[in-house]
Amino acid sequence: MAWRLKLVPTHTKIDFFRWQVGTFGASVAAVILSLVLVMTMGLNLGIDFKGGTTIRTESTTPVDVGAMREALAGQDLNDVTITEVTDPSFRADQHVAQIRIGPRDGEEAVTPESIAVLEAALKGVDPAITFPAVESVGPKVSNELMWKAVLSVVAASVGILIYVWMRFEWQFAVGCVAALVHDVVVTVGLFSLLQLKFDLSIVAALLTILGYSVNDTVVIFDRLRENLAKYKTMPLRDMMNLTTNETLSRTIMTATTTFLSLLVLFIFGGDVIRGFVFAMLFGVVIGTYSTLYVAKNIVLFLGVDRGDKPKKSATPDEFSKVDA
């Protein structure tokens, strides 16, 4: 018989509700903490949402941030930030920096004339410097992009809510969307905590996380629906444990293979997509966690209509034996 790699045993009997108070409480605490971080620390908004101009520089000589800042000091530029960019994929003689300039009052973005003066000043510091990318976004456009980003996440969540509601029952839809909101809020909270750049690529990552997480949750819910018809008298809590154990191998395999693919992109993909990939890496982990410990807990709390369950004559202690 050929040897096969197994990430989990064929038959598991893990009680996923054993620590349900702790796991669900930790999820609620993480969501609240993330909201507090966003309100207090804010997000390190990228040029897409804040407006301004970003210039990427490259040179064969090491980046001297101090000299570059001194050269730009007298150029009448607003809110200049210079950051050296490092990446394992860069050549030994490839030195990259990113210069971010905020727009001045009354201007949509930094003018081409100002950019030309800036480039000339930097060439005076390093004649070998080049400018492979210049991006400008005005404040009005950035505000529109911010609202569209928020609406896109809300629209995706509402669409998923309707889809799951039509496919299963409303309890499943509420549990699924609650898990998705948990994933998005905690991911945004992490970006606020680490002050990582938050731009349109991160919004794309959030939408991708929504799709990944709901796919994982729907697989478990589909098996749960089958088991509801198969085990009509089994308590709902036991049935959910059985369902999750039956699909655990698939859940772990999907998460592991996706995580490994993203990890390769994170290491070798370059700094341009690193923020997107980092959000996806965290999203795979938090999405798997919410599938196992958030969505099911809410469905268990709300209960499931089991009207096809054989009816019994009422007894004085009937309600003390109702399934959780």
Side-chain angles (χ1 to χ4, degrees), residues 56-72:
R56 181 186 176 97
T57 70
E58 288 191 14
S59 179
T60 55
T61 59
V63 176
D64 188 341
V65 175
M68 295 173 70
R69 185 176 292 112
E70 185 177 350
L72 301 180

Side-chain angles (χ1 to χ4, degrees), residues 8-294:
V8 296
T10 304
H11 301 288
T12 58
K13 296 182 179 180
I14 301 173
D15 184 1
F16 290 94
F17 294 100
R18 182 178 181 182
W19 308 106
Q20 65 178 15
V21 175
T23 55
F24 193 73
S27 297
V28 173
V31 170
I32 294 175
L33 179 60
S34 297
L35 293 175
V36 171
L37 287 171
V38 172
M39 290 186 292
T40 56
M41 297 181 61
L43 293 168
N44 180 19
L45 296 177
I47 189 174
D48 298 328
F49 298 136
K50 193 175 181 180
T53 299
T54 296
I55 301 175
R56 181 186 176 97
T57 70
E58 288 191 14
S59 179
T60 55
T61 59
V63 176
D64 188 341
V65 175
M68 295 173 70
R69 185 176 292 112
E70 185 177 350
L72 301 180
Q75 301 300 323
D76 192 24
L77 299 172
N78 182 45
D79 191 19
V80 179
T81 303
I82 304 174
T83 306
E84 182 175 2
V85 179
T86 58
D87 192 280
S89 63
F90 288 168
R91 304 184 310 274
D93 63 343
Q94 184 179 10
H95 303 280
V96 179
Q98 181 173 277
I99 303 173
R100 179 172 165 177
I101 309 167
R104 287 180 291 191
D105 295 337
E107 295 184 356
E108 289 292 308
V110 180
T111 62
E113 292 77 11
S114 297
I115 294 176
V117 172
L118 178 149
E119 292 179 350
L122 293 176
K123 280 187 174 294
V125 175
D126 180 7
I129 197 170
T130 59
F131 308 95
V134 178
E135 299 176 355
S136 294
V137 177
K140 292 182 180 179
V141 175
S142 63
N143 288 335
E144 292 178 3
L145 291 175
M146 173 64 80
W147 279 111
K148 288 181 179 180
V150 174
L151 289 176
S152 66
V153 175
V154 173
S157 300
V158 172
I160 291 171
L161 173 68
I162 296 172
Y163 164 75
V164 177
W165 194 335
M166 294 177 61
R167 183 177 173 87
F168 301 99
E169 298 179 21
W170 68 268
Q171 297 94 329
F172 291 84
V174 172
C176 184
V177 171
L180 298 182
V181 171
H182 166 270
D183 298 343
V184 170
V185 172
V186 175
T187 302
V188 174
L190 180 65
F191 270 74
S192 177
L193 176 64
L194 301 178
Q195 285 297 292
L196 300 175
K197 187 172 70 172
F198 193 91
D199 54 20
L200 281 178
S201 67
I202 307 305
V203 176
L206 294 178
L207 293 173
T208 308
I209 291 170
L210 290 180
Y212 174 86
S213 185
V214 72
N215 176 69
D216 213 19
T217 303
V218 165
V219 168
I220 295 179
F221 281 175
D222 200 46
R223 178 62 65 88
L224 177 60
R225 183 174 58 179
E226 295 177 2
N227 286 338
L228 282 170
K230 186 177 181 180
Y231 305 103
K232 297 183 181 296
T233 60
M234 180 181 292
L236 183 57
R237 171 173 170 154
D238 295 341
M239 187 180 301
M240 284 186 167
N241 267 327
L242 173 64
T243 300
T244 307
N245 279 284
E246 288 177 343
T247 58
L248 184 61
S249 178
R250 182 263 177 202
T251 299
I252 299 300
M253 181 64 73
T254 302
T256 301
T257 52
T258 305
F259 188 90
L260 291 176
S261 300
L262 291 169
L263 185 61
V264 173
L265 277 177
F266 184 78
I267 296 174
F268 300 106
D271 64 289
V272 176
I273 64 171
R274 180 154 290 129
F276 171 85
V277 178
F278 177 79
M280 284 298 303
L281 281 170
F282 183 75
V284 168
V285 175
I286 198 70
T288 303
Y289 173 87
S290 67
T291 297
L292 297 176
Y293 292 106
V294 176

